[in-house]
Each structure stands twice: as structure tokens, then as C-alpha cells.
Amino acid sequence: MLNEATATQDNHAAARDDAIAEEQVYLDTAHERRSEILQSLDTELSAPAQDAVEQARHRGLARQRTEFQRAESGLIFGRLDSLDGITRRIGRIGISGATDDDDPLVVDWRAHAARPFYMATPVEPLGQARRRHIRIEGRTVAGVDDEPLDVANASGLVGEGALFAALGERRTGQMGTAAATLQREQDEVVRADVRGPLVVQGGPGTGKTVVALHRAAYLLFDNPQRATQGVLTLGPSRRFLDYIAQVLPALGETAIVAAIPDALVPGITVTAEDPRATAEIKGRALWQQALTRYVASLTPESMPVDFVWQGERYEIPSTTVGRLIAAAISGRTYHGAGIVFADQMHDRLAQAIADRNEDLFARIDDGLEDVVHMRVEFPEVGGGEGSEADGVLSEEELDRLREKIAEDPQVASTIRTVWPILDPEEELQRFLGDDASLRQFAPELSDAEREAVSARKTGWATSDIPLLDAMSDLLGDTVIHPAVEEFLSERAASRRDWIYGHVIVDEAQELSEMQWHMVARRSPQLSITAVGDIDQAETPHQHTTWAQAVNAVFGERWTQAKLTIGYRTPAEVMALTGPVLQRAGSLNEPPHAVRLSGIDPWERDVDEAELVVEATRAFQELTERWPGGTVGIIAAAGRIPALSAAMDGIPVITATQSKGLEWDATLVIDPDGIAAEPRGRNRLYVALTRSTQELGRINIR
């Protein structure tokens, strides 16, 4: 029996070695073909672009070249063997065969043909006999995991071995891609065919951030036109954005702007903080209509306008000015209408000058009947040949006159007295600080709420940014940008009004209704993927459902999806969260954890005087137990100054700052102190669920 078992093990090892060798040969071939494609792209890009069409083609080729360059590592990660004998390798990018008649060497994970890799199960094999996960280190095949699809899979997980191997890896401080280990319910969200915003509810460890990023990559692959305008990724903190920074580039998407909501209005820095009650008031959707009404009141009133041109006075009557104002404001921003109004005034002034010249010529002609072929010079037109004997300016002369009028600073100054250029910051300060304006344009506010809002401070707070964005949007730019511009991350980030091909919102439960308006402006087509956990909300906006959070902005145009399986957070840790969620008033079921770490959460009770020493000791112990990994410290906000000062540069952060982050081990200091903070049970839920392996808690006696 022992010999039979040994022989069986030897046979398995030999089969595994043969499979690894087979995949290595295939991987080498794929890399050779990738090098050929890169060389071909370099040759095409070396030829200068002759026109706009060629320039656009070059931009597409350059994006493709970047995608192939970034696929150096992990080029292939999967294989599908179908029931009819067809074999496909799945990888980060698609690699074509050497000729048009050849099958692809590698199928892009985003392609429809790759979907069975994520969706096939023994119950629904989707025509597949086997799925193989291929583990790559650099350009070397390190291992394979075969998953027959004709036998029952008790866990229901796709590529269980590969998934748990990935989950068990040490955390490096940066999120990696998960294209090789996406699970069925995750892939359903990634490829969901919805129109409008998709809001994904997912508890800790369900992979919602990974899903959002992979969904963006899939959508841009499926609709390349979106990629030309780039992706905006909104996260709760710069620390979080740094953590996920490599995911989209690793998936081939480089047209990315990453920002926190506070940074969406270029040139504005948050330097103040509103009380929570005031922040809640400013976050309400009512401000969108209030600001719209206020800006509408700034539209100029009709008045006669006097111009001086070449020493002559010209008056545009009030009735004419009124008609021009009414025509200009139709469907336009304040400044956009102002640009149209100025153009119309230039036309009226040019025509008035031309009419006066014609009249002058007629009066001259009445006194000089014997002069038949007289020509008159009009210096205001620019010294041209002059008009024919009837005194009427030609279209060319009128055009030159309009150009000179448009360039004249005195004319511009006169028009600005009628339609002044307004500064969004000044107008918002004026509006928020004026009780009469608040009464008139925001009648929904109570006396106490108006007083809270008008209690101005120095600088801007987070709750002001969406209001300033709305004011800037309603006033509009003072210049007209080209309708189509090539995406450059620096250009898009510097433009408040840039329209993106897709917007990702992470930790979306934290956004106020006015912040959702701010998001919607960046994607008028509402190509938005928002992910979050409503149970982790801790901002002043008391939303307990997604409908409460987004209906004011999106109405019925949004779709909700759910992630129910927790992959990252061990079951031992998730067992602690039930009572916390219950006391937080949660209406959701916590995610089902699919793995055990084998390490029970532990806690220590210490006296106040011992806290720093015990916290330092516990951190060192965790660091030694998880070499090559990461350890995070989360503490009650009031504890952080003393702990940070005493722990010699070791980062100590709040529960809020830890959102979206993960470590191999987490040390939570003063859980009761965290629970006592505003929406503290929600914050404690966040803090407890950041570890992938081990959780320690230090309580204060």
C-alpha cells in the first residue's frame, strides 16, 4: 500500500512537472510574439503623422504600445480546455497569432471568450472541461492548479488554490491586480451591462475596490472611445489612492486621474473644518437648486449701452440690449452667455458704425453730385481700399471691423460693465454670508440652519468644495475650450470641467448629495462605478441605504449590485463584527467569510500609563511574526498625538484614515474610544476588518 501511495505521488509530481514545462514553452512563445508586436508598433510610430487622422491613429498605437510594455510580468495566468478540444490561454492582454488566420495566442481577460474562466462551474461548465490557473514569477511558470469542471466543487470558489495562495501572500503596501482570481459574483459585476451608475454594496474583504478597478478596465476595453477621455478614480485619501495606484496601469489603462473629492476644484485647498452639523446641512441636495436660483438672479438687466469708437459715440438702445440678453442666456452658463452676448454686441456695434458711414457718405454725395466715381477711405476698417460710391461696407470689410472691435480693450470694458466677469469664490462667499440671499434662494433652511451656514470662517472646508464646484459650473468658464481634446492626465486634472470616459468612486457611502452632484458633472453620461459599504459610513450625512444616498441626484437611473462573499478578512475576525453592526443599526447581512486564518483575535487590557509601552511591544511582536508583510496601527483619534510622538515614526492612523487599506496584521488601540466617536460603531467595524491574518486589540482599563 505504501509503495502504491508513493507511486501515486510520483505520478502526480511528474504530471505537474510536465504541465509546468508545457506552460513554460507556451509562455516563452507568447513573449516572443509580444516582442514582435512591440517592434512593429515602434516602426509604425517612428513614421511622422501627416494629418489629424494620422495623429489620432498614433495616439491609439501609443496606448497599445504602453499596454504591451506593461504586460511584461504575468502575461498569462489561465487556461481553458473546452469539451470540444479547443484550448485557450487567458492573460492580461490579447496577443494575436503570427498571421491573420491564426488563433490568438492569448485571449485578453476582458474579452467575451475569456468569461468562462470566471463563470464556469461544475453545475454550469459553459462548454468547458477544465480550468487551469497558472502562477508566473517574472517570465517563469512557478506552478499550475487544475480544476476539473466535471466534478463537484464544494466551496463554489473559482480556482480555490490560486485564490487562497493570493490571499495568503504578504501585503506589500500596494494593491495588486486580481484578473487571475476574480470570482463569479465579482466577474458578474465587472461585466454587468447597465446604463447609468452602478452602485456596488460590499462588506469588508469582498473585493469591491478590485471589482471597481477591473470593471473600469473592462468597460474601456469594450468601448475604446471612453478611453480617449480617461478615467477619474475618486478615493477617500491620498494614502488610499497610492495604495491602488498600480492596479489600472497593470491592467493596461494609463489614462487615469486619481483624486480625493476635496481636490476636484483645481486651485482650492481645504484649510478649515465645519462642525458636523454644518457639514450635514451643506451636503444636502437642496443647494443645487438654491445656487441655480442665485446665479439666475445675477443675469444682467436691460440698459442702454454707450460705446466710443474712433472718437464717435454709438448707443445700443435698452430694448435691443434686452433682446440680446434674453437670446444669450438660453441654456447657457452665466459666462457662456456672456461670451455670446459680447459677440452679439460686437456685431451691433459694427453694424452701427457701418450704418453711420453709409449715412455720412450719402450726405457727402448730396453735396457733390458731379463726383460720379468717388471712393471713401474708412480708417476704422484698417486702411483698406475703401467702399464703392454707395458707401456700403463689403462683407470682408465688416468682418475686419468686427475683429478690431473684438480686440479693442475699451469695448471689452464697456461690455463688462453690463455683463461683469464673476469670481466663483467671491460669489459663494457673498451668497453663504448673506442671510437675505439664503432666505430668498434657500427657503428650505430654518433660521438656525441659515445661521450655521452663514457663520463664515477663514478658508474653505470639505463641505464647501461641492458648493464651489456647483457655483463654478453654473457661472461657467470665461473661455471656450475645444470640443474634443486629447486626454493628458495633467490637463484633465487641471480642468474642473473635464468630462471623463468613466468615473470610479470608492468608499462611496461617505459622499454627500452635493458631492454626488460633483461626481455626475464629470460624467454627464453617468458612466459611473461606485463601490462602498453603507455600514462603514461615518460622515455627517445620515444615510442608512443607498437609495437615501443617491436618489436625490440619480433618481431611478442607477442600479445596485451586491458582493456577499468575504475573501480578505478571516472568519475569526468577521465573527467579532456581528454585535458591532447590530449596535450600529445595520440593515445588511455581513459578508460570508470563506477562509480561516487559524489565528484567533486577541486582546490585552492595560492601564493608561502603560499604553505606549504595551502598544510598542505589541507592534514589534506582530512585525516579527509577519516578516516581509505589513502591520497597521489604528487608534481612537484622541490617542493618536501621544502615540505618534512616542512610537518613533511608526504610522498610527484613525479608523477613517484606514478605509480601503489592508495589512497582514492590525493592532487596534482603544476600541471603546473609537466606538465613542461620532458614528463610532461604524468606525470600529472598519478598524476591526483591516487585517488579512491577525487582529490584536489593546483596551484601556
Side-chain angles (χ1 to χ4, degrees), residues 675-698:
E677 296 171 0
R679 299 195 78 166
R681 296 293 170 183
N682 301 85
R683 295 186 182 189
L684 182 57
Y685 179 52
V686 173
L688 294 176
T689 54
R690 298 303 96 198
S691 65
T692 64
Q693 304 292 345
E694 182 175 357
L695 170 66
R697 290 163 292 168
I698 295 182

Side-chain angles (χ1 to χ4, degrees), residues 374-416:
M374 181 178 181
R375 296 178 69 85
V376 179
E377 295 285 335
F378 293 106
E380 62 269 22
V381 177
E385 294 183 356
S387 176
E388 294 292 344
D390 59 4
V392 178
L393 296 184
S394 68
E395 284 299 322
E396 182 181 352
E397 290 169 330
L398 270 174
D399 287 343
R400 291 205 303 272
L401 178 58
R402 289 190 194 99
E403 290 174 5
K404 285 190 168 295
I405 289 171
E407 295 169 356
D408 188 88
Q410 189 173 5
V411 170
S413 178
T414 301
I415 292 175
R416 280 199 296 272

Side-chain angles (χ1 to χ4, degrees), residues 290-326:
L291 290 167
T292 299
R293 292 189 286 263
Y294 174 75
V295 171
S297 75
L298 303 176
T299 302
E301 296 182 358
S302 178
M303 65 180 75
V305 180
D306 289 336
F307 290 103
V308 176
W309 182 262
Q310 299 291 333
E312 295 285 329
R313 178 178 171 274
Y314 298 85
E315 180 185 285
I316 310 297
S318 178
T319 53
T320 300
V321 173
R323 287 196 301 271
L324 297 183
I325 290 173

Side-chain angles (χ1 to χ4, degrees), residues 71-304:
E72 169 72 22
S73 178
L75 185 61
I76 297 174
F77 55 73
R79 166 175 163 166
L80 282 172
D81 295 320
S82 70
L83 291 169
D84 56 7
I86 297 175
T87 297
R88 296 184 178 93
R89 263 71 172 197
I90 314 299
R92 282 174 49 183
I93 58 171
I95 298 181
S96 62
T99 70
D100 293 340
D101 295 330
D102 292 339
D103 291 331
L105 278 176
V106 182
V107 176
D108 193 299
W109 71 272
R110 296 163 290 189
H112 181 75
R115 194 167 196 192
F117 185 76
Y118 304 102
M119 303 297 291
T121 68
V123 177
E124 289 184 86
L126 302 180
Q128 307 303 313
R130 182 180 66 176
R131 172 172 40 224
R132 170 176 287 176
H133 285 263
I134 304 167
R135 298 194 302 277
I136 305 293
E137 295 178 1
R139 290 194 175 194
T140 301
V141 176
V144 297
D145 292 299
D146 283 340
E147 185 181 359
L149 293 170
D150 55 356
V151 296
N153 179 357
S155 72
L157 298 176
V158 173
E160 183 175 348
L163 173 65
F164 284 163
L167 292 171
E169 290 176 352
R170 295 291 189 267
R171 267 42 196 172
T172 64
Q174 283 200 324
M175 178 178 283
T177 67
T181 56
L182 283 176
Q183 297 299 296
R184 184 186 179 99
E185 75 167 6
Q186 294 175 325
D187 191 70
E188 286 177 343
V189 175
V190 167
R191 300 174 196 262
D193 183 18
V194 297
R195 300 293 182 266
L198 177 65
V199 178
V200 182
Q201 162 64 29
T206 54
K208 52 188 177 291
T209 298
V210 161
V211 164
L213 296 168
H214 285 69
R215 175 168 172 76
Y218 167 75
L219 290 174
L220 299 184
F221 173 84
D222 193 52
N223 185 352
Q225 183 58 36
R226 286 177 175 169
T228 63
Q229 290 303 97
V231 177
L232 172 64
T233 301
L234 284 179
S237 66
R238 288 305 320 179
R239 182 192 297 268
F240 173 79
L241 293 173
D242 290 342
Y243 173 62
I244 68 171
Q246 296 305 310
V247 178
L248 279 175
L251 294 171
E253 301 302 335
T254 57
I256 306 161
V257 171
I260 59 175
D262 284 355
L264 287 183
V265 181
I268 303 299
T269 302
V270 170
T271 58
E273 185 175 355
D274 271 331
R276 285 179 66 85
T278 303
E280 188 277 323
I281 297 167
K282 288 183 179 178
R284 298 175 191 170
L286 67 89
W287 290 100
Q288 188 62 40
Q289 286 304 313
L291 290 167
T292 299
R293 292 189 286 263
Y294 174 75
V295 171
S297 75
L298 303 176
T299 302
E301 296 182 358
S302 178
M303 65 180 75

